[in-house]
Coordinates of all heavy atoms in Angstrom, one line a residue:
K26 N 32.5 -8.6 -18.2 CA 33.3 -7.4 -17.8 C 33.9 -6.6 -18.9 O 33.9 -5.4 -18.9 CB 34.5 -7.9 -16.9 CG 34.1 -8.3 -15.5 CD 35.3 -8.6 -14.7 CE 34.9 -9.0 -13.3 NZ 36.0 -9.4 -12.5
R27 N 34.3 -7.4 -20.0 CA 34.9 -6.8 -21.2 C 34.1 -7.3 -22.4 O 34.7 -8.2 -23.1 CB 36.4 -7.1 -21.2 CG 37.1 -6.5 -20.1 CD 38.6 -6.7 -20.3 NE 39.3 -6.4 -19.1 CZ 40.0 -7.3 -18.4 NH1 40.0 -8.5 -18.7 NH2 40.6 -6.9 -17.3
P28 N 32.9 -6.9 -22.6 CA 32.2 -7.5 -23.7 C 32.8 -7.4 -25.1 O 32.7 -8.3 -25.9 CB 30.8 -6.8 -23.7 CG 31.0 -5.6 -22.8 CD 32.2 -5.9 -21.9
R29 N 33.5 -6.2 -25.3 CA 34.1 -6.1 -26.6 C 35.2 -7.1 -26.8 O 35.4 -7.7 -27.9 CB 34.7 -4.7 -26.8 CG 33.7 -3.6 -26.9 CD 34.4 -2.3 -27.0 NE 33.5 -1.2 -26.8 CZ 33.8 0.0 -26.5 NH1 35.1 0.4 -26.5 NH2 32.9 0.9 -26.4
R30 N 36.0 -7.4 -25.8 CA 37.0 -8.4 -25.9 C 36.4 -9.8 -26.1 O 37.0 -10.6 -26.8 CB 37.9 -8.3 -24.6 CG 39.1 -9.1 -24.6 CD 39.9 -8.8 -23.4 NE 41.2 -9.5 -23.5 CZ 42.1 -9.5 -22.6 NH1 41.8 -9.0 -21.4 NH2 43.2 -10.2 -22.7
V31 N 35.4 -10.0 -25.4 CA 34.7 -11.3 -25.5 C 34.2 -11.5 -27.0 O 34.5 -12.6 -27.6 CB 33.5 -11.5 -24.6 CG1 32.7 -12.7 -24.9 CG2 34.0 -11.5 -23.1
M32 N 33.6 -10.5 -27.5 CA 33.1 -10.6 -28.9 C 34.2 -10.7 -29.9 O 34.0 -11.3 -31.0 CB 32.3 -9.4 -29.2 CG 30.9 -9.4 -28.5 SD 30.0 -10.9 -28.9 CE 28.5 -10.5 -28.0
R33 N 35.4 -10.2 -29.6 CA 36.5 -10.3 -30.6 C 37.0 -11.7 -30.8 O 37.5 -12.0 -31.8 CB 37.7 -9.4 -30.1 CG 37.6 -8.0 -30.6 CD 39.0 -7.3 -30.4 NE 39.4 -7.1 -29.1 CZ 39.1 -6.1 -28.3 NH1 38.4 -5.1 -28.7 NH2 39.6 -6.0 -27.0
W34 N 36.8 -12.6 -29.8 CA 37.2 -14.0 -30.1 C 35.9 -14.8 -30.3 O 36.0 -15.8 -31.0 CB 38.0 -14.5 -28.9 CG 37.3 -14.7 -27.6 CD1 37.4 -13.8 -26.6 CD2 36.5 -15.7 -27.1 NE1 36.6 -14.2 -25.5 CE2 36.1 -15.4 -25.8 CE3 36.0 -16.9 -27.7 CZ2 35.2 -16.2 -25.1 CZ3 35.2 -17.7 -27.0 CH2 34.8 -17.4 -25.7
L35 N 34.8 -14.4 -29.7 CA 33.6 -15.3 -29.8 C 33.0 -15.3 -31.2 O 32.6 -16.3 -31.8 CB 32.5 -14.8 -28.8 CG 31.3 -15.7 -28.7 CD1 31.7 -17.1 -28.2 CD2 30.3 -15.1 -27.7
V36 N 32.9 -14.1 -31.8 CA 32.3 -14.0 -33.2 C 33.1 -14.8 -34.2 O 32.5 -15.6 -34.9 CB 32.1 -12.5 -33.6 CG1 31.7 -12.4 -35.0 CG2 31.1 -11.9 -32.7
P37 N 34.4 -14.6 -34.3 CA 35.2 -15.5 -35.3 C 35.1 -17.0 -34.9 O 35.1 -17.8 -35.8 CB 36.6 -15.0 -35.2 CG 36.5 -13.6 -34.5 CD 35.3 -13.6 -33.7
S38 N 35.0 -17.3 -33.7 CA 34.9 -18.7 -33.3 C 33.6 -19.3 -33.7 O 33.6 -20.4 -34.3 CB 35.0 -18.8 -31.7 OG 36.3 -18.4 -31.3
F39 N 32.5 -18.5 -33.6 CA 31.2 -19.0 -34.1 C 31.2 -19.2 -35.6 O 30.7 -20.2 -36.1 CB 30.1 -18.0 -33.7 CG 29.4 -18.4 -32.4 CD1 29.9 -18.2 -31.2 CD2 28.1 -19.0 -32.5 CE1 29.3 -18.5 -30.0 CE2 27.5 -19.4 -31.3 CZ 28.0 -19.1 -30.1
L40 N 31.8 -18.2 -36.3 CA 31.9 -18.3 -37.7 C 32.7 -19.6 -38.1 O 32.3 -20.3 -39.0 CB 32.5 -17.1 -38.3 CG 32.6 -17.0 -39.8 CD1 31.2 -17.1 -40.4 CD2 33.3 -15.7 -40.3
A41 N 33.9 -19.8 -37.5 CA 34.7 -20.9 -37.8 C 33.9 -22.3 -37.5 O 34.0 -23.2 -38.4 CB 36.0 -20.9 -37.0
V42 N 33.2 -22.3 -36.4 CA 32.5 -23.5 -36.1 C 31.3 -23.7 -37.1 O 31.0 -24.9 -37.5 CB 31.9 -23.5 -34.7 CG1 30.9 -24.6 -34.4 CG2 33.1 -23.6 -33.7
S43 N 30.8 -22.6 -37.6 CA 29.7 -22.8 -38.6 C 30.2 -23.3 -39.9 O 29.4 -23.9 -40.7 CB 29.0 -21.4 -38.8 OG 29.7 -20.6 -39.7
F44 N 31.5 -23.2 -40.2 CA 32.1 -23.7 -41.4 C 32.3 -25.3 -41.4 O 32.4 -25.9 -42.4 CB 33.4 -23.1 -41.7 CG 33.4 -21.7 -42.2 CD1 34.5 -20.9 -42.2 CD2 32.2 -21.1 -42.7 CE1 34.4 -19.6 -42.6 CE2 32.1 -19.8 -43.1 CZ 33.3 -19.0 -43.1
I45 N 32.3 -25.8 -40.2 CA 32.6 -27.3 -40.1 C 31.7 -28.1 -40.9 O 32.1 -29.0 -41.7 CB 32.7 -27.7 -38.6 CG1 33.9 -27.0 -37.9 CG2 32.7 -29.2 -38.5 CD1 34.0 -27.2 -36.4
P46 N 30.3 -28.0 -40.8 CA 29.5 -28.8 -41.6 C 29.7 -28.6 -43.1 O 29.6 -29.5 -43.9 CB 28.0 -28.4 -41.2 CG 28.2 -27.7 -39.9 CD 29.6 -27.2 -39.9
D47 N 29.9 -27.4 -43.5 CA 30.1 -27.1 -44.9 C 31.4 -27.7 -45.4 O 31.4 -28.3 -46.5 CB 30.2 -25.5 -45.1 CG 29.1 -24.8 -44.5 OD1 28.0 -25.4 -44.4 OD2 29.2 -23.6 -44.1
I48 N 32.5 -27.7 -44.7 CA 33.7 -28.4 -45.0 C 33.5 -29.9 -45.1 O 34.0 -30.5 -46.1 CB 34.8 -28.0 -44.1 CG1 35.2 -26.5 -44.2 CG2 36.0 -28.9 -44.3 CD1 36.1 -26.0 -43.1
L49 N 32.7 -30.4 -44.2 CA 32.4 -31.9 -44.2 C 31.6 -32.2 -45.5 O 31.8 -33.3 -46.1 CB 31.7 -32.3 -43.0 CG 32.5 -32.3 -41.7 CD1 31.6 -32.6 -40.5 CD2 33.6 -33.2 -41.8
I50 N 30.8 -31.3 -45.9 CA 30.0 -31.6 -47.2 C 31.0 -31.6 -48.3 O 30.9 -32.6 -49.2 CB 29.0 -30.5 -47.4 CG1 27.8 -30.6 -46.4 CG2 28.5 -30.5 -48.9 CD1 26.8 -29.5 -46.4
G51 N 31.9 -30.7 -48.4 CA 32.9 -30.7 -49.5 C 33.8 -31.9 -49.5 O 34.1 -32.5 -50.5
V52 N 34.2 -32.3 -48.2 CA 35.1 -33.5 -48.1 C 34.3 -34.8 -48.5 O 34.9 -35.6 -49.2 CB 35.7 -33.6 -46.7 CG1 36.4 -34.9 -46.4 CG2 36.6 -32.4 -46.5
T53 N 33.1 -34.9 -47.9 CA 32.4 -36.2 -48.2 C 32.0 -36.4 -49.6 O 31.9 -37.5 -50.1 CB 31.2 -36.4 -47.2 OG1 30.4 -35.2 -47.4 CG2 31.7 -36.4 -45.8
T54 N 31.6 -35.3 -50.3 CA 31.2 -35.4 -51.7 C 32.4 -35.6 -52.6 O 32.4 -36.4 -53.5 CB 30.4 -34.2 -52.2 OG1 31.2 -33.1 -52.0 CG2 29.1 -34.1 -51.4
G55 N 33.5 -34.9 -52.2 CA 34.8 -35.1 -53.0 C 34.7 -34.6 -54.4 O 35.5 -34.9 -55.2
T56 N 33.7 -33.8 -54.7 CA 33.5 -33.3 -56.1 C 33.6 -31.8 -56.1 O 33.4 -31.2 -55.0 CB 32.2 -33.8 -56.7 OG1 31.1 -33.2 -56.0 CG2 32.1 -35.3 -56.7
S57 N 33.8 -31.2 -57.2 CA 33.8 -29.7 -57.3 C 32.4 -29.2 -57.0 O 32.2 -28.1 -56.5 CB 34.2 -29.3 -58.7 OG 33.4 -29.8 -59.7
D58 N 31.3 -30.0 -57.4 CA 29.9 -29.6 -57.1 C 29.7 -29.5 -55.6 O 29.0 -28.6 -55.1 CB 28.9 -30.5 -57.7 CG 28.9 -30.5 -59.2 OD1 29.4 -29.4 -59.8 OD2 28.4 -31.4 -59.9
G59 N 30.2 -30.5 -54.9 CA 30.1 -30.4 -53.4 C 30.8 -29.2 -52.8 O 30.3 -28.6 -51.9
W60 N 32.0 -28.9 -53.3 CA 32.7 -27.8 -52.8 C 32.1 -26.5 -53.2 O 32.1 -25.5 -52.4 CB 34.2 -27.8 -53.2 CG 35.0 -28.8 -52.4 CD1 35.5 -30.0 -52.8 CD2 35.4 -28.6 -51.0 NE1 36.1 -30.6 -51.8 CE2 36.1 -29.8 -50.7 CE3 35.1 -27.7 -50.1 CZ2 36.6 -30.0 -49.4 CZ3 35.7 -27.9 -48.8 CH2 36.4 -29.0 -48.5

């Protein structure tokens, strides 16, 4: 019904979720190279 409104929260949510594996890489390696 309100696609613009849906996209305003969905797009940032997808981006935030896409960061999770990257953050886990940084945390599990624990080195500056991993980050």
Side-chain angles (χ1 to χ4, degrees):
K26 285 183 181 179
R27 296 184 192 113
R29 290 181 193 164
R30 190 172 186 187
V31 170
M32 289 301 182
R33 272 195 297 267
W34 66 264
L35 187 62
V36 170
S38 298
F39 264 78
L40 183 60
V42 168
S43 78
F44 287 164
I45 292 172
D47 306 332
I48 292 169
L49 290 175
I50 287 170
V52 169
T53 56
T54 59
T56 65
S57 59
D58 290 342
W60 282 108

